[in-house]
């Protein structure tokens, strides 16, 4: 499905953040991931804030919503499902977390380029990408 406008880019960003939030909240309760529980709780807290940033950005820039069409941007490369999260061992959980964080960075980087005509929105998307890059750095330390 194509992401054709400001609204669809931010709606999809919110979907991705909520998916990641659910992923990390499930890992927090997974006994096999107890060693990394604090890190996953921190990631969940950051992502909860990210959802609010996406919602606020959409609200504050709603007048721009219809004005800027987006071309050649689709959801498919950013769709990834994580199944069996509650049964993952620590290594599988860390690998899945890295994939989700990489996906988020790619999405926000590409979305910021596509929506560069709206600098405030592009800046917010870049900020979200940096937050996910910070998660990758923490995962690299493990």
């Amino acid at each position: 499905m194509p992401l054709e406008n400001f609204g669809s880019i931010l709606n999809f960003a919110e979907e991705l953040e909520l998916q990641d939030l659910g992923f990390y909240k499930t890992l927090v309760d997974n006994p096999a991931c107890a060693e990394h529980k604090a890190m996953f709780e921190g990631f969940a807290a950051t992502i909860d804030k990210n959802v609010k940033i996406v919602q606020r950005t959409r609200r504050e820039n709603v007048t721009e919503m219809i004005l800027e069409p987006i071309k050649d941007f689709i959801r498919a490369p950013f769709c990834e499902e994580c199944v069996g999260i509650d049964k993952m061992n620590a290594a599988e959980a860390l690998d899945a977390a890295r994939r989700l964080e990489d996906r988020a960075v790619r999405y926000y980087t590409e979305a910021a380029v596509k929506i560069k005509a709206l600098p405030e929105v592009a800046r917010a998307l870049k900020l979200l990408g940096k937050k996910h890059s910070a998660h990758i750095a923490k995962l690299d330390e493990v």
Side-chain angles (χ1 to χ4, degrees):
M1 177 187 287
L3 298 165
E4 299 175 327
N5 57 40
F6 164 89
S8 64
I9 285 178
L10 290 179
N11 286 341
F12 189 57
E14 186 174 358
E15 283 178 40
L16 292 178
E17 293 292 346
L18 290 172
Q19 179 188 23
D20 291 355
L21 182 61
F23 172 76
Y24 287 120
K25 284 185 173 184
T26 302
L27 288 183
V28 165
D29 295 330
N30 181 337
C33 299
E35 179 182 350
H36 307 294
K37 182 177 181 172
M39 180 177 67
F40 294 144
E41 285 174 334
F43 287 2
T46 300
I47 290 171
D48 191 46
K49 291 176 187 173
N50 291 353
V51 171
K52 290 172 179 54
I53 290 170
V54 170
Q55 292 169 341
R56 185 181 67 238
T57 301
R58 184 175 42 231
R59 235 183 359 261
E60 290 175 355
N61 295 280
V62 73
T63 57
E64 308 295 335
M65 195 178 256
I66 310 168
L67 302 177
E68 291 298 326
I70 307 297
K71 294 186 187 327
D72 302 321
F73 196 42
I74 58 172
R75 297 167 148 256
F78 309 105
C79 292
E80 181 169 336
E81 285 194 42
C82 289
V83 292
I85 303 164
D86 55 335
K87 298 193 183 358
M88 288 181 175
N89 64 38
E92 293 167 333
L94 292 169
D95 183 53
R98 172 168 273 296
R99 283 194 321 271
L100 291 177
E101 296 298 338
D102 284 338
R103 171 196 67 182
V105 170
R106 280 186 300 108
Y107 178 72
Y108 288 123
T109 301
E110 291 181 33
V113 170
K114 291 292 184 179
I115 206 157
K116 67 183 173 200
L118 301 172
E120 287 181 35
V121 177
R123 196 171 17 260
L125 294 173
K126 288 177 188 174
L127 170 69
L128 292 166
K130 285 180 184 177
K131 289 181 171 202
H132 284 280
S133 292
H135 289 179
I136 292 170
K138 285 185 181 179
L139 288 166
D140 287 344
E141 293 173 8
V142 175

